[in-house]
Amino acid sequence: MTNEPDRISFDDLVSAIEAKLIGAGASPAVAEVLATNCATCERDGTLSHGVFRVAGYLDSLNRGWADGTAEASIDVVGPSYIRIDGHNGFAQPALAEAGPTIDQALDDTGVAVIALRNTHHFSALWPDLEAFARDGRVAMGMIASGKLAVVPEGATRPVFSTNPFGFATPVAEADPIVFDFSTSSMSHGDLQLLRAEGQDVPVGTGVDSTGADTTDPNAILDGGGIRPIGGHKGALLSFMIETLAAGLTGGAFTYEVDAEAPEGAHTFRTGQLFIVIDPERGGNDAYLARVREFVDMLRDAGMDRQPGDRRYANRAEAAERGIPVTDTIRAMFD
Ligand code: NDP
């Protein structure tokens, strides 16, 4: 508990979200994983994937679009290759269920390729990637995120989702370095938050329904599209992510799933790919120390903002004072 009235403790927030999810039909095991994930995002300041997303989870559950009681099938199809069918459940609980199988593959071979399909991923990648790094693993993940929203140059309609990609590595005697970003100029969640606040976005963020640049989030979200990061280079990253997270896993491409989702359902049943590596297997015992030297060099050269710095600072403050209670959190208790 926290004594500050405009703050809530992490545990209380998890319990409140869990209760909502269970009320909408999620099993206690699924609710625990999703609630912890949402509260973790909120605590660390990834507000686009924190409590803001709870209503979307509830809509998908209430409409029967996602199965909150699904138990994943886990097939080890090669010593390092784990295929997971989420049976229309959520991705994070399916990944959690596969935890012992993933650990076994890493112990046996030093690598785990984790291919999820029939799974809804509605959150940030970093909470799961950071957990791998805290266990001493290097990890990367990518998602066919399911909402057709991104228009590369030359295309006349959205063809990609915001296709996030994340990477995490342990670092000697420091928190892991973890970055995680959409391969679009802005995540769909942030764009929705700015729309709700009535704010404009920078030129280059997206286009309206005629294909013209616009600074109005409404025009981008209603019939227009978001631009990839870095022009054709971001578009090609999205191509790779869709190919691996949907094509390789056997999940649905974003362009297939978007049309399928019923009105009012906010999550998407697609696919996700994670690759996890035990760095010690590379014969490089000094890996952690080498990464530390590299990160220290970057800070020394002036790149003193590293990915994770903002989140870890928010986390430390939340541990001391609790998580700030936003209007979105207040609305959840109404
Ligand atoms: P952000 O721009 O918020 O953050 C990108 C990353 O860059 C973060 O790891 C951040 O670290 C780091 N970073 C930010 N500024 C700097 C800097 N100056 N120097 C070095 N590193 C920096 O990402 P997005 O808005 O694109 O995405 C937000 C979240 O949305 C992601 O977690 C993503 O997974 C999620 N998402 C999920 C989707 C889904 O369908 N499930 C779809 C699209 C996005 P820090 O965390 O410390 O700020």
Side-chain angles (χ1 to χ4, degrees), residues 46 48-49 121-126 143 145 162-164 178-182 187 190 303 305-311:
T46 307
S48 59
H49 291 78
H121 199 296
F122 196 45
S123 184
L125 279 161
W126 65 257
I143 307 178
S145 47
T162 49
N163 290 130
V178 185
F179 65 75
D180 172 20
F181 51 78
S182 48
S187 76
D190 277 341
M303 191 180 164
R305 160 72 158 101
Q306 295 293 330
D309 286 355
R310 181 191 61 91
R311 288 190 304 97

Coordinates of all heavy atoms in Angstrom, one line a residue, residues 46 48-49 121-126 143 145 162-164 178-182 187 190 303 305-311, ligand 1:
T46 N 5.4 3.0 -19.5 CA 4.9 2.7 -20.9 C 3.4 2.8 -20.9 O 2.7 1.8 -20.9 CB 5.4 1.3 -21.3 OG1 6.8 1.2 -21.1 CG2 5.1 1.0 -22.8
S48 N 1.2 3.8 -22.9 CA 0.5 3.3 -24.1 C 0.1 1.8 -24.0 O -0.8 1.4 -24.7 CB 1.3 3.5 -25.4 OG 2.5 2.8 -25.3
H49 N 0.8 1.1 -23.1 CA 0.5 -0.3 -22.9 C 0.2 -0.7 -21.5 O 0.4 -1.9 -21.1 CB 1.6 -1.2 -23.6 CG 1.5 -1.1 -25.1 ND1 2.0 0.0 -25.7 CD2 1.0 -1.8 -26.0 CE1 1.8 -0.1 -27.0 NE2 1.1 -1.2 -27.2
H121 N -1.4 -10.5 -28.9 CA -0.4 -9.7 -28.2 C -0.8 -8.3 -28.2 O -0.8 -7.7 -29.3 CB 1.0 -9.9 -28.8 CG 2.1 -9.6 -27.8 ND1 2.3 -8.3 -27.3 CD2 3.1 -10.3 -27.2 CE1 3.3 -8.3 -26.5 NE2 3.8 -9.5 -26.4
F122 N -1.0 -7.7 -27.1 CA -1.7 -6.4 -27.0 C -0.8 -5.5 -26.2 O -1.3 -4.5 -25.6 CB -3.0 -6.6 -26.4 CG -4.0 -5.5 -26.6 CD1 -4.2 -4.8 -27.8 CD2 -4.8 -5.0 -25.5 CE1 -5.1 -3.8 -27.9 CE2 -5.7 -4.0 -25.6 CZ -5.8 -3.4 -26.9
S123 N 0.5 -5.8 -26.0 CA 1.3 -5.1 -25.0 C 2.6 -4.8 -25.5 O 2.9 -4.9 -26.7 CB 1.4 -6.0 -23.7 OG 2.1 -5.2 -22.8
A124 N 3.5 -4.3 -24.6 CA 4.9 -4.1 -24.9 C 5.6 -5.4 -24.9 O 5.2 -6.3 -24.2 CB 5.4 -3.1 -23.9
L125 N 6.7 -5.4 -25.6 CA 7.6 -6.6 -25.6 C 8.6 -6.6 -24.5 O 9.0 -7.7 -24.0 CB 8.4 -6.7 -26.9 CG 7.7 -7.2 -28.2 CD1 8.4 -6.7 -29.4 CD2 7.6 -8.7 -28.1
W126 N 8.9 -5.4 -24.0 CA 10.1 -5.4 -23.1 C 9.9 -6.2 -21.8 O 10.9 -6.7 -21.3 CB 10.5 -3.9 -22.8 CG 9.6 -3.1 -22.1 CD1 8.8 -2.1 -22.7 CD2 9.3 -3.0 -20.7 NE1 8.0 -1.5 -21.7 CE2 8.3 -2.0 -20.5 CE3 9.7 -3.7 -19.6 CZ2 7.8 -1.7 -19.3 CZ3 9.2 -3.5 -18.4 CH2 8.2 -2.5 -18.2
I143 N 6.6 -8.8 -33.3 CA 5.1 -9.0 -33.4 C 4.5 -8.6 -34.7 O 4.7 -7.5 -35.1 CB 4.4 -8.3 -32.2 CG1 5.0 -8.5 -30.9 CG2 2.9 -8.6 -32.2 CD1 4.4 -7.7 -29.8
S145 N 1.5 -7.1 -35.2 CA 0.6 -6.7 -34.1 C -0.9 -6.6 -34.5 O -1.7 -6.4 -33.7 CB 1.1 -5.4 -33.5 OG 1.5 -4.4 -34.5
T162 N 2.1 -1.7 -36.7 CA 3.2 -0.9 -36.2 C 4.4 -1.8 -35.8 O 5.4 -1.3 -35.4 CB 2.7 0.0 -35.0 OG1 2.0 -0.9 -34.1 CG2 1.8 1.1 -35.4
N163 N 4.2 -3.1 -35.9 CA 5.2 -4.1 -35.9 C 6.4 -3.8 -34.9 O 7.5 -3.5 -35.4 CB 5.8 -4.3 -37.3 CG 4.8 -5.0 -38.2 OD1 4.6 -4.5 -39.3 ND2 4.2 -6.1 -37.8
P164 N 6.2 -4.0 -33.6 CA 7.3 -3.7 -32.7 C 8.4 -4.8 -32.8 O 8.1 -5.9 -33.1 CB 6.6 -3.7 -31.4 CG 5.4 -4.5 -31.5 CD 5.0 -4.3 -32.9
V178 N 17.6 -2.8 -22.5 CA 16.4 -3.4 -23.2 C 15.8 -2.2 -24.0 O 15.5 -1.2 -23.5 CB 15.3 -3.8 -22.1 CG1 14.1 -4.5 -22.8 CG2 15.9 -4.7 -21.1
F179 N 15.7 -2.5 -25.3 CA 14.9 -1.5 -26.1 C 13.8 -2.2 -26.8 O 13.9 -3.4 -27.1 CB 15.8 -0.7 -27.0 CG 16.5 -1.4 -28.1 CD1 15.8 -1.9 -29.2 CD2 17.8 -1.6 -28.1 CE1 16.4 -2.5 -30.3 CE2 18.5 -2.3 -29.1 CZ 17.8 -2.8 -30.2
D180 N 12.8 -1.4 -27.1 CA 11.6 -2.0 -27.6 C 10.8 -0.9 -28.3 O 10.4 0.0 -27.6 CB 10.8 -2.6 -26.4 CG 9.4 -3.1 -26.8 OD1 9.2 -3.3 -28.0 OD2 8.6 -3.2 -25.9
F181 N 10.6 -1.0 -29.6 CA 9.9 0.1 -30.3 C 9.1 -0.4 -31.5 O 9.5 -1.4 -32.1 CB 10.9 1.2 -30.7 CG 12.1 0.8 -31.5 CD1 12.0 0.5 -32.8 CD2 13.3 0.7 -30.9 CE1 13.1 0.1 -33.6 CE2 14.4 0.3 -31.6 CZ 14.3 0.0 -33.0
S182 N 8.1 0.4 -31.8 CA 7.4 0.1 -33.0 C 8.2 0.5 -34.2 O 9.0 1.5 -34.1 CB 6.0 0.8 -33.0 OG 6.3 2.2 -32.6
S187 N 3.8 4.8 -32.1 CA 3.0 3.6 -31.8 C 1.5 4.0 -31.9 O 1.2 5.1 -31.7 CB 3.3 3.0 -30.4 OG 2.7 3.7 -29.4
D190 N 0.3 5.5 -28.6 CA 0.7 6.9 -28.3 C -0.2 7.8 -29.2 O -0.6 8.9 -28.7 CB 2.1 7.1 -28.6 CG 3.0 6.7 -27.4 OD1 2.5 6.6 -26.3 OD2 4.2 6.4 -27.6
M303 N 26.5 9.6 -25.3 CA 25.2 9.0 -25.4 C 24.8 8.5 -24.0 O 24.8 7.3 -23.7 CB 25.3 7.8 -26.4 CG 23.9 7.2 -26.8 SD 24.1 5.8 -27.9 CE 22.4 5.1 -27.8
R305 N 22.0 8.8 -22.5 CA 20.6 8.2 -22.3 C 20.6 6.9 -23.0 O 20.7 6.8 -24.2 CB 19.6 9.2 -23.0 CG 18.2 8.6 -23.3 CD 17.4 8.3 -22.0 NE 16.0 8.3 -22.4 CZ 15.3 7.2 -22.5 NH1 15.9 6.0 -22.4 NH2 14.0 7.2 -22.8
Q306 N 20.5 5.8 -22.2 CA 20.5 4.5 -22.7 C 19.0 4.0 -22.6 O 18.3 4.4 -21.7 CB 21.4 3.6 -21.9 CG 22.9 3.9 -22.1 CD 23.4 3.7 -23.5 OE1 22.9 2.8 -24.2 NE2 24.3 4.5 -23.9
P307 N 18.6 3.0 -23.5 CA 17.3 2.5 -23.4 C 17.1 1.8 -22.0 O 18.0 1.0 -21.6 CB 17.2 1.5 -24.5 CG 18.6 1.3 -25.0 CD 19.4 2.5 -24.6
G308 N 16.0 2.0 -21.4 CA 15.8 1.5 -20.1 C 16.0 2.5 -19.0 O 15.3 2.4 -17.9
D309 N 16.8 3.5 -19.2 CA 17.1 4.5 -18.2 C 15.8 5.2 -17.6 O 15.6 5.3 -16.4 CB 18.0 5.6 -18.7 CG 19.4 5.2 -18.9 OD1 19.8 4.1 -18.5 OD2 20.2 6.0 -19.4
R310 N 14.9 5.6 -18.6 CA 13.7 6.2 -18.2 C 12.8 5.2 -17.4 O 12.3 5.6 -16.3 CB 12.9 6.7 -19.4 CG 11.6 7.4 -19.2 CD 10.9 7.6 -20.5 NE 10.6 6.3 -21.1 CZ 9.4 5.7 -20.9 NH1 8.5 6.2 -20.1 NH2 9.2 4.5 -21.5
R311 N 12.7 4.0 -17.9 CA 11.8 3.0 -17.2 C 12.4 2.7 -15.8 O 11.6 2.6 -14.9 CB 11.7 1.8 -18.1 CG 10.8 2.0 -19.3 CD 10.5 0.7 -20.0 NE 11.6 -0.1 -20.4 CZ 12.1 -1.1 -19.7 NH1 11.6 -1.5 -18.5 NH2 13.2 -1.7 -20.1
Ligands
NDP1 P1 9.4 4.4 -27.6 O1 9.7 5.5 -28.5 O2 8.6 4.8 -26.4 O3 10.7 3.8 -27.0 C1 11.6 3.2 -27.8 C2 12.8 2.6 -27.1 O4 13.9 3.5 -27.2 C3 12.6 2.4 -25.6 O5 13.3 1.2 -25.2 C4 13.3 3.6 -25.0 O6 13.8 3.4 -23.7 C5 14.4 3.9 -25.9 N1 14.7 5.3 -26.1 C6 13.9 6.4 -26.1 N2 14.6 7.5 -26.3 C7 15.9 7.2 -26.3 C8 17.1 7.9 -26.5 N3 17.1 9.2 -26.6 N4 18.3 7.2 -26.5 C9 18.3 5.8 -26.3 N5 17.2 5.1 -26.2 C10 16.0 5.8 -26.2 O7 8.7 3.2 -28.4 P2 7.3 3.2 -29.2 O8 6.5 4.3 -28.8 O9 7.6 2.9 -30.6 O10 6.7 1.8 -28.6 C11 6.2 1.8 -27.3 C12 5.8 0.4 -26.9 O11 4.7 0.0 -27.7 C13 6.8 -0.6 -27.1 O12 7.0 -1.3 -25.8 C14 6.2 -1.6 -28.1 O13 6.5 -3.0 -27.8 C15 4.8 -1.4 -27.9 N6 4.0 -1.7 -29.1 C16 3.2 -2.9 -29.0 C17 2.5 -3.3 -30.1 C18 1.6 -4.5 -30.0 O14 0.9 -4.8 -30.9 N7 1.7 -5.3 -29.0 C19 2.4 -2.5 -31.3 C20 3.3 -1.4 -31.3 C21 4.0 -1.0 -30.2 P3 12.9 3.7 -22.3 O15 12.0 2.5 -22.2 O16 13.9 3.8 -21.2 O17 12.2 5.0 -22.6

